[in-house]
């Protein structure tokens, strides 16, 4: 890969052969399944750890005697830590390599995950979760940059979709497992079990992930990083994609932070194990993320974003019903729409960036997890003030923002096509 495609100067000697784009892997090619499965496991570990306390918030509130808005910081601190550190970690991946940074990030995160069950107070728990999120920051941007460098362009959306699918499986399994374990042995044992599972995923990831063939180490000079970031933020399309990712995650973070509180109350009054099982709807996200490439092929990128936003909005409205089947259907639609929109937006970032892909992906992930932190906090505050309808209102406003930004993008694309036609 040329220096222009990474946004950094190379330090490769003249005697080192530079692989061509034709050598990048594609579905059916050697190493593709191994690579996909390794990053799938990384996605599982990342989301299982990042959201390990989300389904347990009512129990954490009960033990420490705090409101939902206070307990929600155990989620917001982790996603906020990731949002703050994803850009610096992406810079490290440009210098030391995607695989090395992902491996180190997982190692630190799983170690902290084994300490979380022993937190003596809510403050210590929040602090450990913030550190865990900061450690996990090396995964998302480095993973998408790794795929952009090692996978053929035609297969990129599908490959990133599989990584996002791993996120959905991790989020689902973590919540389901913690729900049932916590019902019998409490939330501390539950998050400890997630930590052990994440250790296994981290070891398998390191053993399976192929060594990169197209990575070229770059400079850590602050000026180089600042120039690359400035270039990305000056790109209107990238700015729109960052905002879309943040808004989609605002919906998702708010809904899944608060849903446990709603289902423990009347008229549902469900036990913790059943509430954890509700997160099986994440399987829908696995499917919608992995098929995002086909959706873009049929509707185009903006059409796919409209579809994702519309599906999410329909799910939010359905979830207002006091009927458990309708609430479940609403969660299915919210999950499908979110993961489809996220896969489309994140893959578009990797394709749009012509250099500094790690930084472009890092900025997307930063916006995405800022949206998660905002959604978790604002969604919990809205629930405290106005019940589930308040949380849904926050989500609908975020979806409206996605649609408005996509409309702006559609108009910009039409104007550009007219300009090109006139110039021709």
């Amino acid at each position: 890969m040329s220096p222009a495609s990474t946004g950094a100067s190379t330090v490769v000697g003249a005697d080192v052969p530079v692989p061509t784009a034709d050598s990048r892997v594609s579905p059916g090619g050697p190493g593709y399944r191994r690579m996909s499965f390794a990053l799938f496991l990384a996605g599982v570990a990342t989301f299982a750890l990042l959201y390990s306390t989300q389904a347990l918030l009512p129990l954490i509130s009960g033990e420490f005697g705090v409101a939902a808005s206070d307990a929600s910081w155990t989620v917001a601190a982790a996603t906020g830590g990731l949002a703050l550190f994803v850009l610096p970690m992406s810079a490290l991946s440009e210098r030391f390599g995607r695989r090395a940074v992902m491996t180190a990030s997982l190692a630190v995160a799983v170690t902290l995950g084994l300490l979380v069950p022993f937190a003596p107070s809510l403050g210590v728990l929040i602090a450990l979760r913030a550190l865990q999120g900061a450690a996990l920051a090396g995964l998302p941007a480095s993973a998408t940059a790794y795929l952009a460098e090692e996978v053929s362009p035609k297969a990129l959306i599908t490959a990133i979709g599989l990584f996002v699918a791993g996120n959905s499986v991790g989020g689902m399994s973590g919540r389901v497992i913690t729900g049932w374990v916590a019902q019998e042995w409490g939330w501390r044992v539950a998050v400890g079990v997630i930590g052990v599972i994440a250790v296994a995923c981290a070891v398998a990831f390191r053993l399976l992930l192929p060594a990169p063939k197209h990575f070229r180490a770059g400079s850590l000079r602050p000026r180089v990083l600042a120039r690359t970031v400035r270039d990305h933020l000056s790109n209107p399309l990238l700015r729109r994609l960052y905002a879309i990712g943040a808004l989609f995650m605002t919906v998702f973070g708010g809904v899944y932070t608060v849903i446990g509180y709603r289902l423990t109350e009347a008229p549902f009054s469900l036990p913790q194990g059943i509430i954890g099982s509700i997160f099986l709807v994440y399987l829908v996200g696995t499917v919608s993320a992995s098929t995002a490439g086909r959706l873009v092929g049929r509707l185009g990128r903006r059409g796919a974003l409209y579809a994702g936003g519309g599906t999410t909005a329909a799910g939010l409205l359905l979830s207002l019903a006091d009927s458990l089947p309708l609430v479940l259907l609403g969660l299915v639609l919210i999950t499908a729409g979110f993961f489809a929109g996220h896969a489309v937006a994140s893959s578009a970032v990797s394709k749009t960036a012509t250099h500094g892909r790690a930084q472009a992906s890092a900025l997307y992930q930063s916006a995405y997890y800022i949206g998660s932190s905002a959604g978790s906090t604002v969604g919990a505050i809205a629930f405290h003030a106005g019940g589930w309808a308040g949380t849904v209102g926050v989500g609908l406003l975020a979806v409206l923002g996605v649609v408005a930004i996509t409309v702006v993008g559609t108009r910009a694309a039409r104007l550009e096509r007219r300009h090109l036609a006139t110039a021709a």
Side-chain angles (χ1 to χ4, degrees):
M1 197 172 204
S2 66
S5 62
T6 62
S9 58
T10 61
V11 293
V12 180
D15 58 333
V16 179
V18 179
T20 65
D22 292 337
S23 67
R24 285 182 283 184
V25 299
S26 57
Y32 181 81
R33 288 186 179 180
R34 180 178 170 182
M35 175 190 296
S36 298
F37 186 55
L39 288 170
F40 177 86
L41 291 176
V44 169
T46 298
F47 254 47
L49 289 171
L50 194 62
Y51 293 100
S52 58
T53 63
Q54 193 173 56
L56 306 172
L57 293 180
L59 296 179
I60 293 172
S61 288
E63 176 170 331
F64 293 116
V66 298
S69 56
D70 295 320
S72 69
W73 278 103
T74 64
V75 179
T79 54
L82 192 153
L84 288 174
F85 280 86
V86 67
L87 186 58
M89 294 293 276
S90 74
L92 291 177
S93 81
E94 291 281 11
R95 180 65 182 87
F96 299 107
R98 321 297 186 197
R99 189 169 69 161
V101 169
M102 287 189 286
T103 301
S105 292
L106 273 180
V108 174
V110 298
T111 301
L112 289 167
L114 297 176
L115 296 176
V116 165
F118 303 100
S121 66
L122 181 63
V124 173
L125 176 60
I126 291 172
L128 286 172
R129 294 284 292 148
L131 292 173
Q132 196 172 39
L136 286 169
L139 265 295
S142 297
T144 51
Y146 176 95
L147 289 170
E149 292 166 352
E150 304 298 326
V151 176
S152 64
K154 291 183 178 180
L156 182 60
I157 293 180
T158 300
I160 291 179
L162 289 172
F163 174 67
V164 174
N167 292 345
S168 71
V169 170
M172 175 205 70
S173 59
R175 290 163 172 88
V176 172
I177 292 170
T178 55
W180 286 106
V181 173
Q183 183 171 302
E184 297 296 326
W185 295 288
W187 71 267
R188 294 179 183 274
V189 174
V191 294
V193 169
I194 293 302
V196 172
I197 292 172
V199 169
C201 288
V203 172
F205 160 80
R206 185 60 183 84
L207 293 175
L208 290 173
L209 189 69
K213 296 180 179 179
H214 294 80
F215 171 75
R216 292 293 176 266
S219 170
L220 278 176
R221 289 177 296 173
R223 287 184 180 180
V224 174
L225 176 61
R227 184 169 60 248
T228 302
V229 170
R230 186 173 61 249
D231 289 345
H232 293 327
L233 292 179
S234 65
N235 185 318
L237 175 55
L238 288 177
R239 289 201 303 268
R240 290 195 294 269
L241 292 171
Y242 297 153
I244 286 170
L247 289 168
F248 264 123
M249 195 54 167
T250 297
V251 181
F252 199 69
V255 165
Y256 279 100
T257 294
V258 174
I259 190 64
Y261 288 98
R262 188 191 184 202
L263 295 179
T264 58
E265 297 177 350
F268 307 108
S269 303
L270 299 180
Q272 188 65 44
I274 297 298
I275 291 173
S277 297
I278 296 297
F279 291 91
L280 284 169
V281 298
Y282 264 52
L283 288 172
V284 176
T286 305
V287 175
S288 66
S290 58
T291 58
R294 278 181 284 176
L295 185 64
V296 172
R298 291 181 179 179
L299 303 177
R301 184 180 66 243
R302 287 179 291 275
L305 290 173
Y306 285 131
T311 302
T312 302
L316 286 167
L317 293 172
L318 272 178
S319 72
L320 288 167
D322 286 335
S323 164
L324 186 59
L326 289 179
V327 171
L328 292 177
L329 179 58
L331 290 176
V332 166
L333 294 177
I334 292 167
T335 304
F338 161 73
F339 274 105
H342 170 42
V344 171
S346 61
S347 60
V349 168
S350 294
K351 294 185 72 173
T352 301
T354 57
H355 66 286
R357 284 195 176 96
Q359 282 74 49
S361 296
L363 288 168
Y364 176 83
Q365 296 294 336
S366 182
Y368 175 80
Y369 286 108
I370 286 172
S372 178
S373 294
S376 298
T377 304
V378 177
I381 292 172
F383 179 76
H384 180 74
W388 181 249
T391 303
V392 167
V394 171
L396 289 173
L397 285 174
V399 171
L400 182 61
V402 169
V403 173
I405 292 169
T406 308
V407 168
V408 170
T410 301
R411 290 178 176 175
R414 288 175 180 171
L415 289 173
E416 184 177 355
R417 284 196 297 268
R418 290 175 184 172
H419 176 74
L420 292 174
T422 303

